[in-house]
Amino acid sequence: MRGWQRGASWAAALIGASGLAATVVWACADSSCSPVWRLDAPDYACDGRAMLTPGNDTRINLLLLMRSLAPVSEAGVAYAKPDWDDDQLGHVFFSWKGLRQTLWPSAPEPEPATPDAAAECAAPKGAQDAFAAAMLAEKVAPFYRDQLIAERAKLGCPDAAPPGVYADDLAGSYAMYMGAADDFYRGNYAAARSSFAKLASSPSPWVRETAAYMKIRIALRAAVAGAIDQYGDFAGLEKVDKAQAAAAGAAIDAYLKAWPQGRYAASAQGLKRRVLWLTGQDAALAQSYEAMLRATPGSGEAAADLAEEIDNALLQREEGVKAVVGGGKAPLLMTIADLKAMRPTDPAKPMPLAAETLAAQAPAFAGQDDLYGLLGATRAYYAGEAPRTILTRLPDAARAPGYTPLAFSRQVLRGMALAKAHDANEAGFWQELMGGAKGLWQGQLAQLGLALRWQRDGRIDQALASASPIKDSTLRQLMLQTMAAPATLRANAADRSRPDEERNVARFTLLYKGLTRGAYADFTRDLALVPADPKADLGAFYGSGLSTPPAQRFTQGKWAEGLPCPSLAQTTATLARNPADQPARLCLGEFYRLNGFDGFSLYAPFEKVDQLGRGTDQFPGTMLSRDAIYAAIIADKRAAADLRAYALYRAVMCYSPSGYNGCSGPAADYAASQAQQVPKAQRKAWYDELKALYPNSRWAKALRYYW
Amino acid sequence: MKRPIVASLALAALALSSACQREQRAPEETTAEETTAEAAAPKVDPHGFDAFYVWPGVRPAADLRTHTLYLLDGEVRRRPGPARFTRLRAGLPRLPGADLWLVVRIDRLDLSPRTWATIVADMERWQAAGNHLQGLQIDFDAATPGLDRYAAFLAEARAHLPHPWRLSITGLMDWSANGDPAALAQLKPVVDEVVVQTYQGRSTIPGYGAYFRKMAHFPLPFRVALAEGGNWTPPPGLARQPQFKGYVVFLMPKQLRR
């Protein structure tokens, strides 16, 4: 029997997967996810957290809840290798896709197809086997049986022949079944319906039962047959043929009455939800899902399929949410809907979920104090209530040996309230919590909490010390690139207990900031920290999502093109003695230009909100950009003619060919990038000056335009 | 999803690590100036175009001029077991007013004759439903394959495709610009057009100017696929390239806030 296999195909089978398109089809059609490096998540975001929170993907919250009802050990589970778009999440955050891939990794690459494998046009092998087994059990004559099996194997394929004619009643009944099934798959529902009706009096019990089940399938297909838009997509519930959907419901009842333990009983039970959905019986659908949330173990992949189905069929529709909340009988679904309802509709307006609304739901949560307490505390936190009121609702359990996702959510929220209260014990709380935070992604969330606190306290050196409890490499790479002092970077570069990629990030950052911020003597010395690696791929990036190029960029780069520049080490040695040395400064500019540093920036958190990485940078100095090197030499009228000519030439070339300044280094935002542009008149003035003052220089001759 | 639009100003030639650029990296010849200009380029508005990619679940605005549509029908995905074709639409499209391409997304090349037969049967169903079906587009969605192996696969596709239907393929910019010209020319009798993808995710890939400079002598007719809302300034000379046959705009799906 084709079609209805398991939960995931529930909506997909019906609506042609359009409802799942966002996850199924868009492998590379969605932007990559850049997380906000903080604990709170008020609004929907791609970076999921290991706690029940308004910002999580609803499917993540559903699964975390299921895994709290029946606790699951996550010991020894390895994090899935992230896809390109999840790369920045590290092991701190996760997407729905990443969560599924970690918990239920897909099987390795398939073996090459075998010639006798069932084609997609034919029924799955299981269905063909069931057909053959039924004939064997019912003692269909072997001769007919072989013929019927052969016909069945091709049924539905373009090269199928119409079923043969059988003199024998029993075999003929199987043949008629195949004809009816073929009509069904071809969309000839009236013909299929009449053939299956006739088969109700078949001599074969298997055919009788299967024909009764197929009545359900036909009615469901017919119900949505007209609900297709011009693009071939599901046109919406309002276009469904409700009479056919109701007929499917009646056929389910009839089938289950006649065959309560029948071979399709489980499938028929599942199809009940589809009927509820198609006929808009959302209250009953919610009750069904609530029961399934309790009954489905969070350890199995069926839990993930269920989460997707609930989100697609119920929680993404306003009427569905109303049925959940209005019914007041589905606390698990209400939890998920309430969390979603806490997302801000408008930052200027108060928390959309009113305290009274949540208070009125209290009876539904009788006996589930942990869940209801978390909801109340979460609402209070995101509504901006005083942290002390949140702390009283969430007792300290930071020394527990382990946490369900629900228990962990309560503790992390407690830690967030401690942070808001600037509580002196916050750092100790996070360190205690790490002990029992053994679930996937849990420990890293506690580490993020501690890192944020230490950032606020100006203790990045402590956070990055060798003995620091912040062990997560992504968090460390983030702090190394954004805030670490030179000595901290040196110590991390030398720390053999840390992964090579992380040490490269430390090394690269030390050298990059040293070079661009004028620490020339240090830079020259620190070059010795770069391991000789002639095979280093200078174009590659190393690190966990917050990667840097290899530090060998500074030892194996290209030094000279138009100017006779020595190695970078010699240039910086000169600058260490005299930072104003003009030939050396031009050679520094050449190094930027020839090695791709013009457009480069270290990782910086994108959104300008308080988050890890936006603390004070302990590395002193400000960046010297290439255009500033030229501007200083142009301003020095006594500079040597060849140097000044080159500075003018390069200053004009900074705008080639786009008219935008490509030599100004990274800009934090649009306004900053606008501030880096000089007026076109200035570019013309440089051009004119080069042509007028140094007409015989090779740079004047080489320059034919300005931009 | 948070996509740092402005950040791309800061991340140019060296910053290859974000977005889908793992698969399509900016060419080394790209100048920082170029990337800066590309990032500041105007955004693609579908109203200025007449050919579109329509993925399942996407409903083009009613006021678009839809002369040519590339509709994703289904996919053959990497997963255990033999290759199987999975349909992604609930039913048949009925778009008699447009030239229609049936798109199949694949990430494996071991399609069986039965799979091909299923794809061709879908094409026949689309045609029979009153659509003006132009042909099949193969959207190969994986790392750049060895051109030899891919060429063999495309020859197989051609062989399965009834006359007079045409064969279109998507191409990554890297592949189109840096592929061996002789090997590309060998595809001429097999492939009727290449649609060069300039985006990953929702964004235009920085450095496209350099790619199109290298495509000056591209041997096959090609269209250029743009992301709706992505930044785009036509590279100089593109419009004059004899093999350039126009644009296809990829209509972006609504982002679900699950």
Side-chain angles (χ1 to χ4, degrees):
Chain A
M1 198 60 38
R2 258 197 306 195
W4 210 249
Q5 300 298 312
R6 59 188 184 115
S9 59
W10 193 88
L14 175 63
I15 60 178
S18 60
L20 300 178
T23 48
V24 177
V25 185
W26 301 108
C28 206
D30 230 330
S31 294
S32 61
C33 180
S34 16
V36 181
W37 298 95
R38 50 193 285 156
L39 291 166
D40 56 358
D43 201 359
Y44 172 78
C46 52
D47 41 338
R49 286 152 173 76
M51 62 188 294
L52 292 157
T53 185
N56 272 359
D57 185 310
T58 288
R59 297 166 298 181
I60 293 177
N61 279 340
L62 279 163
L63 192 62
L64 291 176
L65 190 55
M66 279 186 268
R67 288 170 80 86
S68 300
L69 298 177
V72 189
S73 166
E74 293 175 345
V77 178
Y79 293 98
K81 191 177 167 296
D83 281 346
W84 65 271
D85 49 353
D86 277 359
D87 202 24
Q88 288 195 1
L89 304 182
H91 296 164
V92 183
F93 306 115
F94 53 93
S95 65
W96 172 247
K97 183 178 62 174
L99 175 62
R100 282 198 76 139
Q101 282 168 358
T102 290
L103 291 176
W104 298 287
S106 42
E109 280 294 282
E111 294 293 307
T114 49
D116 60 342
E120 51 271 61
C121 53
K125 193 168 176 307
Q128 299 195 33
D129 290 350
F131 183 78
M135 288 194 291
L136 190 66
E138 295 179 0
K139 303 200 167 49
V140 175
F143 171 74
Y144 293 137
R145 207 167 67 216
D146 292 347
Q147 206 174 327
L148 284 160
I149 287 170
E151 285 173 359
R152 178 76 176 97
K154 283 193 169 182
L155 190 69
C157 292
D159 53 345
V165 179
Y166 293 83
D168 174 90
D169 269 1
L170 186 58
S173 195
Y174 277 92
M176 190 173 169
Y177 160 78
M178 271 199 296
D182 195 41
D183 276 330
F184 169 72
Y185 288 119
R186 288 178 195 279
N188 306 329
Y189 300 126
R193 198 176 290 122
S194 117
S195 300
F196 280 124
K198 284 181 200 149
L199 289 169
S201 54
S202 160
S204 156
W206 185 87
V207 170
R208 283 202 303 275
E209 181 183 349
T210 306
Y213 170 75
M214 288 305 290
K215 262 180 98 170
I216 308 169
R217 301 279 309 277
I218 293 169
L220 284 172
R221 286 276 185 106
V224 296
I228 301 295
D229 69 10
Q230 56 176 336
Y231 290 93
D233 282 327
F234 182 55
L237 283 173
E238 63 283 0
K239 303 272 190 216
V240 167
D241 182 335
K242 306 285 182 208
Q244 286 291 352
I252 291 173
D253 293 342
Y255 172 82
L256 287 174
K257 194 171 168 212
W259 289 276
Q261 308 297 323
R263 65 191 79 224
Y264 310 111
S267 168
Q269 289 288 357
L271 291 172
K272 275 186 175 174
R273 301 198 304 277
R274 194 153 154 192
V275 171
L276 295 176
W277 181 58
L278 290 172
T279 52
Q281 301 183 62
D282 290 332
L285 188 59
Q287 278 312 303
S288 175
Y289 284 140
E290 182 77 4
M292 289 183 77
L293 282 174
R294 290 192 190 284
T296 308
S299 55
E301 194 167 9
D305 295 340
L306 177 63
E308 287 181 353
E309 183 183 321
I310 292 176
D311 187 40
N312 284 331
L314 195 65
L315 295 179
Q316 280 189 42
R317 288 186 300 119
E318 216 172 296
E319 315 82 71
V321 172
K322 269 187 199 151
V324 165
V325 178
K329 283 185 267 178
L332 300 178
L333 287 170
M334 286 165 79
T335 301
I336 305 300
D338 283 344
L339 285 170
K340 200 172 174 182
M342 291 179 202
R343 295 177 185 171
T345 45
D346 175 350
K349 288 186 183 160
M351 149 72 61
L353 182 70
E356 304 75 50
T357 309
L358 194 55
Q361 293 177 6
F365 287 92
Q368 303 190 63
D369 296 347
D370 278 5
L371 202 52
Y372 191 58
L374 174 70
L375 277 181
T378 303
R379 202 213 73 87
Y381 180 89
Y382 289 106
E385 289 181 15
R388 291 291 155 202
T389 70
I390 295 158
L391 292 171
T392 54
R393 297 175 199 224
L394 301 169
D396 190 335
R399 266 165 293 204
Y403 301 93
T404 64
L406 170 59
F408 190 67
S409 308
R410 291 168 59 89
Q411 292 308 303
V412 177
L413 189 60
R414 181 177 169 83
M416 288 158 63
L418 288 172
K420 221 171 176 182
H422 289 224
D423 192 291
N425 295 320
E426 183 200 347
F429 172 85
W430 292 122
Q431 291 183 75
E432 279 181 357
L433 186 61
M434 284 173 205
K438 294 167 189 152
L440 290 162
W441 296 284
Q442 287 184 348
Q444 294 84 304
L445 220 48
Q447 292 177 39
L448 175 58
L450 181 60
L452 285 164
R453 174 63 191 233
W454 278 350
Q455 169 175 305
R456 201 174 71 205
D457 293 346
R459 293 164 69 183
I460 288 302
D461 53 335
Q462 186 171 352
L464 283 168
S466 187
S468 165
I470 300 165
K471 297 286 185 207
D472 179 77
S473 196
T474 305
L475 292 175
R476 291 181 70 100
Q477 289 176 36
L478 170 57
M479 293 187 286
L480 287 168
Q481 294 200 40
T482 52
M483 299 175 292
T488 311
L489 290 168
R490 260 177 226 114
N492 274 266
D495 186 348
R496 288 172 188 279
S497 72
R498 301 304 307 168
D500 282 347
E501 292 187 341
E502 189 182 309
R503 292 175 65 196
N504 180 67
V505 169
R507 216 178 274 135
F508 182 90
T509 304
L510 175 68
L511 292 169
Y512 175 74
K513 288 189 178 174
L515 182 68
T516 56
R517 297 186 186 187
Y520 302 119
D522 284 352
F523 174 88
T524 313
R525 260 194 309 278
D526 289 334
L527 279 175
L529 297 172
V530 180
D533 181 1
K535 290 206 185 96
D537 176 1
L538 298 190
F541 278 77
Y542 298 95
S544 334
L546 311 176
S547 48
T548 64
Q552 282 81 6
R553 279 252 183 180
F554 299 101
T555 54
Q556 299 174 20
K558 185 173 178 187
W559 319 131
E561 193 186 62
L563 297 183
C565 290
S567 74
L568 180 62
Q570 283 173 268
T571 295
T572 53
T574 305
L575 288 169
R577 289 189 297 274
N578 175 17
D581 185 283
Q582 289 181 338
R585 281 170 70 109
L586 284 176
C587 284
L588 176 63
E590 290 296 273
F591 177 77
Y592 288 176
R593 185 174 72 82
L594 296 172
N595 295 279
F597 281 94
D598 275 336
F600 177 77
S601 66
L602 288 166
Y603 179 82
F606 172 60
E607 299 208 0
K608 289 184 177 176
V609 293
D610 188 20
Q611 59 177 308
L612 192 65
R614 294 197 81 92
T616 309
D617 188 353
Q618 310 288 333
F619 203 115
T622 51
M623 183 180 172
L624 175 65
S625 59
R626 198 151 71 81
D627 56 354
I629 293 175
Y630 304 139
I633 294 175
I634 292 170
D636 178 8
K637 304 284 182 205
R638 295 167 309 164
D642 56 338
L643 302 183
R644 213 163 161 270
Y646 190 68
L648 286 163
Y649 170 79
R650 278 284 153 215
V652 172
M653 286 299 288
C654 283
Y655 289 81
S656 159
S658 62
Y660 282 87
N661 187 353
C663 307
S664 49
D669 54 29
Y670 184 72
S673 101
Q674 285 306 103
Q676 291 170 341
Q677 315 300 321
V678 302
K680 195 156 190 178
Q682 176 66 70
R683 280 118 71 179
K684 179 177 188 303
W686 288 334
Y687 177 88
D688 291 344
E689 187 173 352
L690 175 62
K691 296 286 185 181
L693 285 186
Y694 313 105
N696 295 320
S697 75
R698 64 185 265 225
W699 308 115
K701 287 175 185 160
L703 192 63
R704 295 171 59 196
Y705 311 101
Y706 65 88
W707 293 266
Chain B
M1 305 272 164
K2 297 176 229 45
R3 167 73 191 151
I5 302 297
V6 182
S8 52
L9 288 173
L11 309 168
L14 249 181
L16 303 173
S17 63
S18 68
C20 227
Q21 292 159 20
R22 273 284 144 71
E23 290 174 33
Q24 289 210 45
R25 20 198 283 179
E28 280 161 22
E29 298 81 357
T30 301
T31 63
E33 293 89 339
E34 218 164 42
T35 359
T36 312
E38 287 174 2
K43 296 200 182 303
V44 173
D45 175 358
H47 288 90
F49 300 86
D50 68 355
F52 305 98
Y53 272 111
V54 183
W55 256 218
V58 174
R59 293 185 197 182
D63 60 347
L64 285 187
R65 205 156 48 87
T66 53
H67 182 275
T68 306
L69 293 173
Y70 292 77
L71 254 63
L72 182 66
D73 180 34
E75 56 187 12
V76 184
R77 304 285 290 172
R78 205 178 294 138
R79 60 175 184 189
R84 285 180 80 95
F85 178 71
T86 310
R87 284 195 191 94
L88 295 167
R89 285 181 195 275
L92 277 177
R94 293 176 200 276
L95 297 157
D99 285 352
L100 210 60
W101 288 84
L102 183 147
V103 182
V104 172
R105 200 166 102 145
I106 60 171
D107 61 5
R108 53 195 286 172
L109 299 177
D110 58 340
L111 274 60
S112 70
R114 278 262 177 96
T115 304
W116 284 115
T118 307
I119 292 169
V120 170
D122 266 17
M123 297 178 74
E124 283 161 354
R125 287 167 63 228
W126 285 29
Q127 175 86 355
N131 296 301
H132 301 299
L133 190 69
Q134 303 299 301
L136 171 69
Q137 181 175 75
I138 302 282
D139 180 15
F140 187 68
D141 183 40
T144 306
L147 207 52
D148 286 352
R149 204 168 141 235
Y150 194 41
F153 169 81
L154 292 173
E156 192 187 318
R158 174 87 264 174
H160 284 287
L161 208 59
H163 200 71
W165 281 332
R166 291 184 285 160
L167 181 62
S168 168
I169 60 172
T170 57
L172 302 180
M173 288 194 291
D174 180 45
W175 180 94
S176 307
N178 299 328
D180 171 16
L184 284 169
Q186 279 179 6
L187 293 178
K188 253 176 145 166
V190 178
V191 170
D192 297 294
E193 67 163 19
V194 178
V195 180
V196 180
Q197 320 269 302
T198 62
Y199 49 87
Q200 293 285 16
R202 293 177 177 264
S203 318
T204 307
I205 295 162
Y208 58 82
Y211 281 116
F212 283 102
R213 275 202 298 281
K214 295 185 81 171
M215 279 185 66
H217 303 290
F218 193 66
L220 302 162
F222 69 95
R223 287 173 174 261
V224 173
L226 308 177
E228 176 185 8
N231 299 306
W232 180 255
T233 301
L238 174 64
R240 292 192 303 276
Q241 250 165 280
Q243 298 284 27
F244 174 62
K245 306 297 177 198
Y247 292 103
V248 185
V249 173
F250 189 100
L251 297 177
M252 285 297 162
K254 200 173 69 184
Q255 283 183 306
L256 292 178
R257 297 168 58 80
R258 286 179 176 275

